[in-house]
Every structure is written in C-alpha cells, then in structure tokens.
Amino acid sequence: GAERREAEARLEREQALLEQQKQTLESREREALKRVAEAEASADALVRERREHEETRRMAGEARIALGREIERLNILVTEAGSSKREVGRLERDLAEQQHRYTKLLSEMGETTVACEDAKRERDAALRSLKRESASYSDLHEHSNSARAEMAKQLDQALSEASRLERE
C-alpha cells in the first residue's frame, strides 16, 4: 500500500512537471507564432518597399528621358536664341534645375535600394532565428513525449509490482 501511494505521488509529481513543461512549450509556441507574424509583416513591408523602389526607378527612367528631351529642346532654343544672353541664361538655369532634379532622384533611388537590402537582411536573419526556435521546440516536444512514455512504463511496472505484492 505504501509503495503504491509513493508510486501515485511520484506519478502526480511527474504529471505536474509534464504540465509545467507543456505550458512552457505552449508559451514558446505562441512566441514562435508571434515571430512568424512579425516576419510575415516584415516581408510584406519589403514587398511594399520593393514596389516603391521599382516605381522610383521607373520615374527615374522617365525623368532621364524627359531630361534628354529637355536638353534637346534647350539646345534648339539656344541655337534659335542666338546672341540673346538673357534667353541663354534662363535656358542654362532650366537645364541646371533639371539636372539637379535628376541627380536628386538618382540619390533617392540609391537610398531606397540600400534600405531594401537592409530590410531583406533583417528579414532573412529573423527567418533563420525562427527556424532555430522551431527546431528547438520540436526537440523539446520530442523529449516531453519520451518522458511521458517512460513515466507510463514506470507506472505500469509499479502497478504490476504492487499487484504482485498484494497477491503475495
């Protein structure tokens, strides 16, 4: 009888420990799911940034074409203006302003590219971390299952022993 009570008490302790491990696993699983959601949100942001980057690149291409046309137009106007220094000065200012806009657009495009690359690296690091967490969770879950099986085996042995002792 005492051995049986001791076995039952031990079983209760083991079950309490397993329940605690289960709660820990569930907490880690929630955290892992949260990280997955964050990684997905980060990936969505990357997609948006990539689209914006492509739009900026498209706009830069259009600006380059427009600048080329403007340069051609300005060259024609300079030729037509002849010796009119005021007209030539205005045209040169227009050209400088167009070139400044184009340079600024190229600079912004470069910054967007760098930001996209940085965000991609961060997303990749987060996904690698998430994979490691997932593997750790799987290992812990597997350990928990084998501990349960071992406890059940020990309980069966203890009950068999108790039954044998009762029969004797």
Side-chain angles (χ1 to χ4, degrees):
E3 288 180 1
R4 183 181 181 117
R5 282 190 301 277
E6 184 180 316
E8 287 173 350
R10 187 174 52 226
L11 176 62
E12 286 177 11
R13 286 190 304 274
E14 291 293 333
Q15 285 176 336
L17 180 61
L18 280 175
E19 183 60 30
Q20 182 181 10
Q21 289 174 344
K22 178 184 170 193
Q23 289 174 1
T24 300
L25 286 173
E26 289 172 349
S27 172
R28 286 183 181 172
E29 182 180 34
R30 284 190 300 275
E31 184 63 30
L33 290 174
K34 178 182 170 188
R35 287 184 182 157
V36 166
E38 290 171 356
E40 288 173 348
S42 175
D44 290 345
L46 280 173
V47 167
R48 282 192 303 278
E49 287 179 18
R50 182 65 183 176
R51 284 189 196 127
E52 291 171 4
H53 173 69
E54 289 170 0
E55 180 64 18
T56 303
R57 178 174 273 162
R58 184 190 60 75
M59 288 170 38
E62 291 174 0
R64 188 179 304 126
I65 291 168
L67 180 60
R69 288 183 187 142
E70 189 66 19
I71 289 171
E72 288 176 17
R73 184 182 72 79
L74 291 174
N75 286 335
I76 291 169
L77 290 174
V78 166
T79 301
E80 291 174 355
S83 63
S84 172
K85 290 184 181 180
R86 277 181 306 170
E87 184 67 9
V88 169
R90 186 186 67 76
L91 293 174
E92 287 174 346
R93 285 190 302 278
D94 286 350
L95 177 59
E97 188 176 305
Q98 288 288 337
Q99 288 173 332
H100 174 72
R101 281 190 225 142
Y102 176 70
T103 303
K104 183 178 175 184
L105 192 56
L106 286 178
S107 173
E108 290 172 1
M109 199 170 91
E111 291 169 7
T112 302
T113 300
V114 169
C116 281
E117 297 295 330
D118 290 346
K120 182 177 182 232
R121 281 192 289 279
E122 289 174 14
R123 182 208 58 200
D124 290 345
L127 288 174
R128 284 191 300 276
S129 174
L130 184 59
K131 285 179 184 176
R132 285 191 300 273
E133 281 289 328
S134 178
S136 174
Y137 172 78
S138 294
D139 292 345
L140 201 53
H141 189 66
E142 189 176 308
H143 174 71
S144 172
N145 285 341
S146 55
R148 281 187 190 143
E150 182 62 29
M151 278 188 8
K153 179 180 169 189
Q154 290 176 2
L155 179 61
D156 286 345
Q157 289 173 350
L159 290 175
S160 295
E161 183 65 22
S163 294
R164 185 185 62 76
L165 290 173
E166 285 178 359
R167 284 193 303 272
E168 289 179 358

